[in-house]
Amino acid sequence: MKKLIIAFITTTLVSACGWHLRGSSGVALDINSVFVTAEDSYGSLVSSLKQSLASNQVESAAKASDAQYSVVLSNEKQDRRTVSVGNNAFAAEYELTLSVDYVIQDSAGNIISAKSTASSFRAYDFDRDAVVAKNEEERLILSEMRNSVVQQILRRLRFVSQAEAVKPAVTTEQAEPETDGKAAS
C-alpha cells in the first residue's frame, strides 16, 4: 500500500510540473481533417507529419476536397557538410540540414499561408573508429530533425486555423449596421 501511494504521489508531481514524454506533440490542433501531399508521398517526412496529425486526433484525408486544410510539401532537402577537420585531414564534425517548403491551402484550394520553409540544423562529432555507431547517431539525429520540422509545420497550421476561425466572426461583426443608440421611429 505504501508503494502504491508513493507511485501515485510521484506521478501526480511529475504531471503537475509539465513534464511529458519526449517526442510528444505540444501543439493542440482544432482541425477535423488535413490532406498531406508531397513530391515523395511515401517519404519519411510525410509519414511523420501524418503520424503527428493522427496523434493530435486529426484525420488524414484521402483527397484535398475532403479535407478542411491541405498541406503541400515541396523541395525537401537533406544535406550533410563537413564542419571541421581533424589533424589527420579527415572530417571530425558534420552538420546536418533538413528543410522543406510548404504551402497551406483551404478546402477550396485557396492558399491561406504563403510558401514557407521549415528547417532544422544539427552538428555532431564524427569518429572514424566508431563508424557504425556514428551512422546510427546520424540516423537518430535526422529523425529528431524531421520531428522538429513537422512541429514547425503543425504550429503554422494551428496558427492558420485559429486565424481562419476568427476571420468569419470579424466579417459578421462588420456586416452588422452601426447604431447610435437611438431607436428608429
Side-chain angles (χ1 to χ4, degrees):
M1 185 67 172
K2 201 176 198 181
K3 289 181 181 180
L4 183 62
I5 291 172
I6 291 172
F8 176 73
I9 291 172
T10 303
T11 305
T12 304
L13 289 174
V14 166
S15 65
C17 75
W19 182 84
H20 61 288
L21 290 173
R22 183 178 188 183
S24 63
S25 163
V27 180
L29 297 173
D30 205 13
I31 299 171
N32 298 328
S33 61
V34 173
F35 175 70
V36 180
T37 185
E39 295 163 352
D40 181 10
S41 57
Y42 296 105
S44 52
L45 186 62
V46 173
S47 298
S48 293
L49 181 56
K50 287 181 178 180
Q51 187 176 29
S52 290
L53 287 168
S55 70
N56 281 296
Q57 289 78 38
V58 177
E59 180 185 332
S60 185
K63 295 187 301 187
S65 59
D66 296 340
Q68 189 176 357
Y69 297 102
S70 294
V71 178
V72 181
L73 305 174
S74 63
N75 202 20
E76 181 180 347
K77 293 180 186 174
Q78 181 178 321
D79 190 32
R80 180 176 95 164
R81 71 179 186 95
T82 304
V83 176
S84 64
V85 178
N87 57 3
N88 56 4
F90 292 118
E93 188 177 16
Y94 286 109
E95 180 184 65
L96 301 173
T97 305
L98 177 66
S99 65
V100 65
D101 296 334
Y102 66 96
V103 173
I104 300 175
Q105 301 173 340
D106 63 8
S107 58
N110 301 319
I111 295 175
I112 54 177
S113 176
K115 183 172 136 181
S116 301
T117 302
S119 59
S120 182
F121 306 91
R122 302 274 168 83
Y124 72 98
D125 295 328
F126 187 76
D127 183 7
R128 289 181 38 89
D129 296 330
V131 174
V132 174
K134 289 301 179 176
N135 285 340
E136 183 64 20
E137 180 182 0
E138 182 177 327
R139 190 184 65 74
L140 290 171
I141 290 171
L142 282 170
S143 176
E144 290 174 2
M145 291 170 60
R146 196 174 306 111
N147 288 335
S148 173
V149 166
V150 165
Q151 291 303 313
Q152 291 174 42
I153 294 169
L154 290 179
R155 281 192 294 275
R156 175 59 67 95
L157 185 59
R158 184 188 79 204
F159 175 76
V160 165
S161 68
Q162 289 172 344
E164 288 293 308
V166 171
K167 192 186 292 184
V170 170
T171 55
T172 36
E173 287 175 8
Q174 291 173 350
E176 293 177 6
E178 292 186 30
T179 60
D180 58 0
K182 298 178 184 177
S185 41

